[in-house]
Amino acid sequence: MKKISTAMLAMVLAAPMSSVHAEEIVKKPMVEVKEQQGIEGIKDVVEENLEVDNSEEWLDDIIEEKPVEEVIEEGYENLGPMIFKASAVSSKIAANNEGDYFIYYIMHGSPAALVVVDYKSKEILHTFTLEDSKSAWGLDVDENGKLWVGGSVSSILYSYDPNEEVFEKHGAIFSNKSDTSIQDLIVSGNKVYAGSAYGGSLVAFDTETKEIEEFGQIRKRKEFVKAIVADEDKDEIYVSIGSPMDLLVKKPNTKNFTSFLPAKYMSEKYAQDLVLTDNYIIARLHPSNMAVIFDRKTLKIVDEFELSSKTVSAVSPNGEGIYYTKGQQLIKYEFETKMHTELGVYLPKGTEAINLDFIVKNPKLPNEEGTEGQSENTVPGAVTAPKVESGVKNTEIIVPNPALPIIVPPLKENPNGNNPSEEPLEEPKEWILSGMVDNLGQIFEYNPQTGELQYHNFNLPEQPVELYTLASSSDGKHIYANGYMSGGLGVYNVATGNKELYRNISQVESMFEINNKLYIGAYPLARLLVYDRSIPWGVGNPAEVIRMSSHGQERSTAVAPYNKGKEIVLGTLPDTSVGGGALVFYDTSTKKTEIYEDYIYNQSIVSLVSRGTQVFGGTSIHANQQVNPRGARLFYFDRFNPEAKKYIHLPFSSSMITSLIVDKENYVWGMADGKLFKYKDEWTDIKSVELLPLISGRFRNAQILEGVDGYIYGSVEGKLFRVTKDSLQVEWLKDNGVYGLEQDLNGNLYYYDGSNLWRYTIEKNRGKQAESAGK
């Protein structure tokens, strides 16, 4: 294991940037970073974590709220970010109006960032913070080379003009509060078309007048517009909505969208990308990995084929066809012959193309003068050094030291299979196919003229990662934090304030520490990992002990100890199985597992806790991308006979029971939607109190615990509260920005807001800590 240590310093957060000419340097973490060298022991986990864009599924796992102005109240302390990672979720390669090409990366984070790379020099020119966004999937370039970006959280539209090096924030472009995330955007003429989640709306933003045309929700009960293409000249708009999928078109002189999806594809979730040519519309379907080609005039299927890349390219500059990848190999498809040509060149192992763009070498420019003395790739007016605007705060040019490109010689002299003597007399354009292949930002360059393939890696700037799951050590001396999408495990030392960052672990749905071992319910593939804190983080630690994907399970949504940690109980959320989530027991001594499939029919197990020989569990009505019409179930069983489960009938209905604890008096407490309830036994009435009338999400919206001062503390929908045990009197402590909830050995509470870990010092301990600090 290789350790890279840096001194623990105070994190200085960058100042807010203005909407124009704003640029920010994203600092690297001032924490002890522990990485693995030769991580074959958890290779599967690492490779799965590279594809962080799992936002393709379960888009509404987290309902992103619009940011509010931060006011730090007495007793609350911002401990700063815990996890940093360079995760490129989307990319685009395009030229400015002088023919200079740039690579645009969207870096996932809280907040997200736009990174601009000079394609020729491979130098990073700018890093812009995408305020009010945690990610961005919609990228397109207008006819002047101006980049347009659609953000998340507040449906913000951004732009970057490479001709003037100006970044601008245009604000929210959807009026519906449900439309919090721009899922895709496309530029046609002077219009930017954008589609949203979770209101499933479409708008058109005029780049000249700044006016917004709203088309509203495309179809009732369809939560998102996933992909868009438009032809402003022909007045045609095509959209993919879901879920399940529908494909719709708005033709000239019509007000409504018309479906043209064939019945055989109605079970798909959506088309994750659409590509428009003069004669065809191509839909890249999810999850079937099919590309379906429709005739634009008849809207009938003319061809379909399987692929692995996230999309297909536009038509190549020579007009011969489009490109895609399958099994890591580049393949060319020709519309006229419907022929697929395997090019014999392969992307790195375990990768596929995320985007596919063309770079035209030496393009002929308007009023072009002579180019004598210029290199082959140089175009007139090329910018050789970035121009730094004066008066811009926190401005710096980050210059990476990219690794030398790996050159893969072609397996065929001419991948097009043509005799050079039979080529047209007219000299064809010289061009390159390029694109991103992984979330590290690695790109490939394929030259069809020579058949060569090259790779380029970049030291992209790390961003603070939004936190997702918290846990406390059994002795209360450490707080564990995991990052949304990007994964990672941050460990906060309560006594010293030091932070450790462990990489190479994916998103965590639930975790619990006992006996100095952290049991981790990891996503995807519904895995259970065991991290032994007594030995170094490295190969085989954490160790994977259970993988429930073969049983149709996708997420390990509940992890709890039984019998002082001699067994670990696991509950899962299904993705493709027929029934519900699984209940699993893992014996920590014998390493044996005991599995009960479809434990609660068509529901997911999302909370677990043990009391003596009894195990209590709560469910969510969301399973298999469906909603069970029957309400969430509270159940219990004796460990010696799990199949003989009994249901506890709550005096109200709910969609999910998201948190269960047992207090010192042996009462079972739980959160069911926005209600807190208290259960003793089947002969005693259940007491409850409503905290909120409405909630969001599918399986996590609340967390409760028993405080050292005798109160029940909880967070629900971002609000912090405490409740007296006897009278159930509710006191609201904070009305926003509180997610997850854990407790240290002093009784202080920890929660997260975005990428930051926070601490709340309750009244009983505030004086004690002040007295301790004065010694």
Side-chain angles (χ1 to χ4, degrees), residues 672-720:
D673 290 357
K675 298 179 179 66
L676 176 71
F677 65 86
K678 175 182 178 182
Y679 171 84
K680 183 178 182 181
D681 52 47
E682 55 187 295
W683 301 281
T684 306
D685 290 340
I686 296 173
K687 294 183 178 181
S688 65
V689 58
E690 182 176 85
L691 301 170
L692 295 175
L694 298 173
I695 56 94
S696 62
R698 293 177 181 266
F699 59 88
R700 51 189 297 162
N701 77 313
Q703 184 74 35
I704 58 173
L705 55 81
E706 182 181 15
V708 296
D709 56 359
Y711 287 93
I712 297 295
Y713 286 87
S715 65
V716 57
E717 296 294 321
K719 303 175 186 297
L720 179 65

Side-chain angles (χ1 to χ4, degrees), residues 105 255 269 476 643:
Y105 288 108
K255 293 183 179 180
K269 292 180 183 177
E643 293 179 314

Side-chain angles (χ1 to χ4, degrees), residues 491-775:
V491 184
Y492 178 79
N493 187 306
V494 172
T496 66
N498 291 337
K499 301 174 184 176
E500 296 175 302
L501 174 57
Y502 295 86
R503 303 190 187 275
N504 303 327
I505 185 169
S506 62
Q507 181 173 299
V508 172
E509 302 296 345
S510 55
M511 52 183 170
F512 192 98
E513 198 223 64
I514 191 168
N515 302 326
N516 207 27
K517 292 182 179 179
L518 185 65
Y519 294 90
I520 301 169
Y523 170 86
L525 308 179
R527 292 165 289 135
L528 178 64
L529 311 178
V530 182
Y531 169 40
D532 189 339
R533 289 282 289 166
S534 66
I535 59 177
W537 177 281
V539 176
N541 188 35
E544 179 180 316
V545 296
I546 296 175
R547 178 175 287 199
M548 291 297 295
S549 56
S550 60
H551 297 266
Q553 306 301 306
E554 183 64 13
R555 297 177 185 259
S556 301
T557 41
V559 175
Y562 174 78
N563 192 14
K564 299 181 180 180
K566 292 182 180 179
E567 286 187 301
I568 300 299
V569 193
L570 177 70
T572 66
L573 180 149
D575 183 49
T576 57
S577 67
V578 175
L583 179 73
V584 185
F585 289 91
Y586 171 70
D587 190 305
T588 58
S589 298
T590 66
K591 315 302 182 187
K592 293 182 180 180
T593 58
E594 187 178 325
I595 300 173
Y596 297 88
E597 295 187 77
D598 192 16
Y599 193 73
I600 306 294
Y601 179 70
N602 264 353
Q603 295 198 14
S604 306
I605 301 174
V606 297
S607 55
L608 290 165
V609 71
S610 62
R611 185 180 71 176
T613 62
Q614 295 175 321
V615 176
F616 292 81
T619 70
S620 167
I621 62 175
H622 298 275
N624 296 302
Q625 310 293 333
Q626 300 176 15
V627 177
N628 190 321
R630 182 163 191 168
R633 309 300 300 269
L634 177 65
F635 63 89
Y636 76 97
F637 57 86
D638 191 282
R639 170 63 187 99
F640 302 105
N641 190 8
E643 293 179 314
K645 57 182 173 288
K646 296 181 180 179
Y647 294 108
I648 300 169
H649 299 286
L650 296 174
F652 49 80
S653 62
S654 62
S655 64
M656 54 183 174
I657 299 169
T658 51
S659 185
L660 292 172
I661 63 169
V662 176
D663 71 7
K664 295 174 183 176
E665 288 78 32
N666 246 12
Y667 282 91
V668 175
W669 293 79
M671 283 295 300
D673 290 357
K675 298 179 179 66
L676 176 71
F677 65 86
K678 175 182 178 182
Y679 171 84
K680 183 178 182 181
D681 52 47
E682 55 187 295
W683 301 281
T684 306
D685 290 340
I686 296 173
K687 294 183 178 181
S688 65
V689 58
E690 182 176 85
L691 301 170
L692 295 175
L694 298 173
I695 56 94
S696 62
R698 293 177 181 266
F699 59 88
R700 51 189 297 162
N701 77 313
Q703 184 74 35
I704 58 173
L705 55 81
E706 182 181 15
V708 296
D709 56 359
Y711 287 93
I712 297 295
Y713 286 87
S715 65
V716 57
E717 296 294 321
K719 303 175 186 297
L720 179 65
F721 65 88
R722 69 180 178 185
V723 173
T724 55
K725 285 186 176 182
D726 295 331
S727 63
L728 298 187
Q729 183 177 352
V730 179
E731 180 184 358
W732 292 101
L733 303 176
K734 199 171 189 300
D735 61 2
N736 62 74
V738 179
Y739 299 93
L741 199 63
E742 292 297 335
Q743 186 173 221
D744 68 14
L745 73 169
N746 300 314
N748 297 320
L749 304 181
Y750 293 77
Y751 61 91
Y752 68 85
D753 184 11
S755 61
N756 295 318
L757 180 69
W758 284 75
R759 175 166 55 209
Y760 170 62
T761 304
I762 61 176
E763 291 291 340
K764 182 176 180 179
N765 295 307
R766 188 174 296 146
K768 182 195 300 184
Q769 287 197 343
E771 182 180 323
S772 175
K775 292 181 179 180

Side-chain angles (χ1 to χ4, degrees), residues 33-48:
V33 181
K34 301 189 177 182
E35 301 190 14
Q36 294 170 320
Q37 190 174 25
I39 50 175
E40 292 80 7
I42 56 169
K43 182 178 180 182
D44 290 341
V45 177
V46 176
E47 290 184 352
E48 287 152 10

